[in-house]
Amino acid sequence: NKSFSYHLHLKQTIEQAIAENRVQKYHFTLLRNLYEKTATFLGYPRWSELLPDDKQAYLNRIIQFTSHSTLSNEAVAEPTAEEKRTVKFLLDHLIANYAYWQPAANPA
């Protein structure tokens, strides 16, 4: 299934950026896309329904980073440490709460 494969590609791309501490503004766009695709796959009418408890605060944060700026000087080159932690938190939340398959650890 190409659609599901793309879900996994987005997830792995974000995970790699987090692991290497290389989260950039565009990772918010990838995260939003992953939330949108997961919501559609699971039958939720709005992707924001998958967000953690303070849904509006997280929605505002993601929208802020994924909206298109009209002025190039408004673009932020690199998210702050807190914003990078938010990407990790939201990805972890999605994985833990919406049935993403986790590979078993390889026994040594």
Side-chain angles (χ1 to χ4, degrees):
N1 182 331
K2 290 182 182 179
S3 178
F4 187 69
S5 178
Y6 187 65
H7 283 71
L8 294 178
H9 173 72
L10 289 174
K11 177 181 166 285
Q12 290 168 348
T13 300
I14 298 167
E15 287 173 331
Q16 183 176 0
I18 291 167
E20 297 172 358
N21 194 28
R22 297 174 54 103
V23 172
Q24 297 295 314
K25 183 177 178 179
Y26 74 90
H27 288 101
F28 279 87
T29 303
L30 298 180
L31 182 63
R32 176 181 176 166
N33 192 276
L34 184 58
Y35 265 83
E36 289 170 344
K37 292 188 178 316
T38 302
T40 299
F41 181 78
L42 295 175
Y44 285 84
R46 291 181 306 277
W47 65 269
S48 59
E49 292 181 42
L50 304 183
L51 292 169
D53 292 332
D54 195 356
K55 291 179 184 350
Q56 193 59 48
Y58 289 113
L59 178 62
N60 291 344
R61 178 62 59 115
I62 292 171
I63 296 296
Q64 173 189 351
F65 273 91
T66 58
S67 65
H68 299 287
S69 174
T70 56
L71 300 174
S72 62
N73 65 350
E74 291 179 12
V76 176
E78 185 171 333
T80 66
E82 179 183 345
E83 291 160 345
K84 290 178 181 183
R85 285 190 298 272
T86 298
V87 168
K88 180 178 181 347
F89 173 75
L90 291 175
L91 181 62
D92 289 348
H93 171 79
L94 188 66
I95 292 167
N97 292 282
Y98 296 100
Y100 270 82
W101 175 76
Q102 295 296 307
N106 290 333

